[in-house]
């Protein structure tokens, strides 16, 4: 692991009840130049997040007082917008799908520390890119996106997206009416090697379609064997009921 200085230092909240894993993550992240705050319970994590305003949160799913999914929901309900990465031994597909719907990434144990750090930097980079992006709004069909405020509207009504969902939708809308391959999306949205796990793209496309009311896939169109495209002017879509 190569040391990297971050200036000013970014803060990582590590929520992990296994002391050995929490200690390992803390030492590795501090070595890489991060400030680290720890919590061993869900309630403690909520308090620490409010106190320290972390830049990113590593969150175990199995905690003594509440599961990580509930912690993530409460963080969002209280206005904590920091990217959340689940780090857990629960590797069932259903858990991954649930985790990715709530948070920004999902890493299973045992994990490689270099991979965890790479994923932390990737979600933080996406957040910085979104924050610094030009404020001009993008429109496609019944969806509108503001690159500066990170707001998205469906039929004029606000839609809540995770930072990864927002980054993917923004990338697709910035390249509207062009076919974008899965490899391009992995490279431009996730910015690290998924080692062939291109299924992450399908998962997030599914989330976006559901949240945007794209039930007939007329907005985010699948081009078989090639990728996806967002249609600036999709076929007529029924109004929101």
């Amino acid at each position: 692991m190569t040391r990297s200085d971050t200036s000013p230092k970014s803060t990582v909240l590590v929520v992990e009840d296994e002391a050995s894993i929490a200690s390992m993550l803390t030492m590795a992240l501090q070595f890489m130049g991060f400030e680290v705050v720890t919590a061993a319970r869900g309630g403690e994590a909520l308090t620490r997040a409010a106190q320290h305003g972390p830049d990113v949160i590593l969150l175990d799913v199995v905690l003594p007082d509440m599961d990580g999914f509930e912690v993530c929901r409460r963080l969002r309900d209280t206005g904590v917008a920091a990217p959340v990465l689940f780090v857990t031994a629960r590797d069932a597909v259903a858990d991954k799908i649930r985790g990715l719907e709530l948070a920004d990434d999902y890493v299973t144990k045992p994990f490689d520390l270099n991979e965890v750090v790479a994923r932390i930097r990737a979600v933080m980079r996406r957040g910085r890119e979104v924050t610094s992006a030009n404020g001009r709004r993008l429109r496609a069909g019944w969806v509108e996106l503001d690159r500066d405020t990170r707001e998205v509207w469906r039929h004029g009504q606000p839609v809540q997206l995770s930072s990864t969902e927002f980054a993917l939708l923004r990338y697709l809308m910035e390249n509207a009416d062009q076919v974008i391959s899965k490899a391009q999306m992995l490279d431009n949205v996730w910015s690290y090697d998924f080692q062939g796990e291109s299924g992450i793209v399908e998962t997030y496309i599914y989330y976006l379609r559901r949240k945007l009311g794209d039930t007939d896939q007329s907005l985010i169109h699948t081009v078989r064997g090639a990728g996806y495209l967002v249609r600036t002017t999709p076929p007529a879509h029924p109004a929101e009921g």
Side-chain angles (χ1 to χ4, degrees), residues 55-58 82-85 103-106 116-130 150 163-164 167 189-192 204:
D55 297 286
V56 65
I57 300 169
L58 294 185
V84 174
L85 287 78
D104 299 274
D105 210 338
Y106 195 100
V116 172
V117 171
R119 294 192 180 207
I120 288 173
R121 287 180 173 154
V123 297
M124 289 178 63
R125 182 164 56 248
R126 291 201 295 274
R128 286 194 295 269
E129 288 170 352
V130 166
R150 298 186 61 187
S163 61
T164 301
V189 177
W190 282 267
S191 303
Y192 59 86
Y204 273 91

Side-chain angles (χ1 to χ4, degrees), residues 138-143 168-180 185 205 208-209 212 214 217-223 227-234:
L138 301 172
R139 294 178 179 83
W142 58 91
V143 175
L168 178 57
L169 179 61
R170 186 188 66 166
Y171 180 63
L172 288 168
M173 291 180 71
E174 286 175 337
N175 295 278
D177 299 316
Q178 300 178 50
V179 177
I180 307 298
M185 284 183 266
I205 291 292
L208 285 177
R209 283 171 170 160
L212 299 176
D214 187 25
Q217 302 182 17
S218 60
L219 177 70
I220 304 176
H221 182 65
T222 300
V223 181
Y228 300 93
L229 68 81
V230 161
R231 299 180 188 271
T232 305
T233 308

Side-chain angles (χ1 to χ4, degrees), residues 100 104-107 115 119 122-123 126 164 182-183 185-187 189-201 203-204:
L100 287 170
D104 299 274
D105 210 338
Y106 195 100
V107 182
E115 180 186 7
R119 294 192 180 207
V123 297
R126 291 201 295 274
T164 301
K182 294 176 185 177
M185 284 183 266
L186 288 171
D187 185 50
V189 177
W190 282 267
S191 303
Y192 59 86
D193 184 10
F194 258 85
Q195 300 179 343
E197 294 182 33
S198 62
I200 195 76
V201 174
T203 299
Y204 273 91

Side-chain angles (χ1 to χ4, degrees), residues 1 12 14 21 24-26 28-29 32 34 56-59 85-88 105-124 192:
M1 183 178 291
V12 180
V14 175
I21 296 178
M24 176 183 64
L25 285 168
T26 297
L29 291 169
M32 296 299 289
F34 294 96
V56 65
I57 300 169
L58 294 185
L59 178 59
L85 287 78
F86 284 116
V87 181
T88 177
D105 210 338
Y106 195 100
V107 182
T108 55
K109 301 175 183 176
F111 52 79
D112 180 277
L113 284 171
N114 287 307
E115 180 186 7
V116 172
V117 171
R119 294 192 180 207
I120 288 173
R121 287 180 173 154
V123 297
M124 289 178 63
Y192 59 86

Side-chain angles (χ1 to χ4, degrees), residues 13 44-54 75 78 80:
L13 171 58
E44 185 182 7
L46 298 174
T47 300
R48 293 281 191 272
Q51 291 173 336
H52 298 277
L75 286 168
T78 56
V80 177

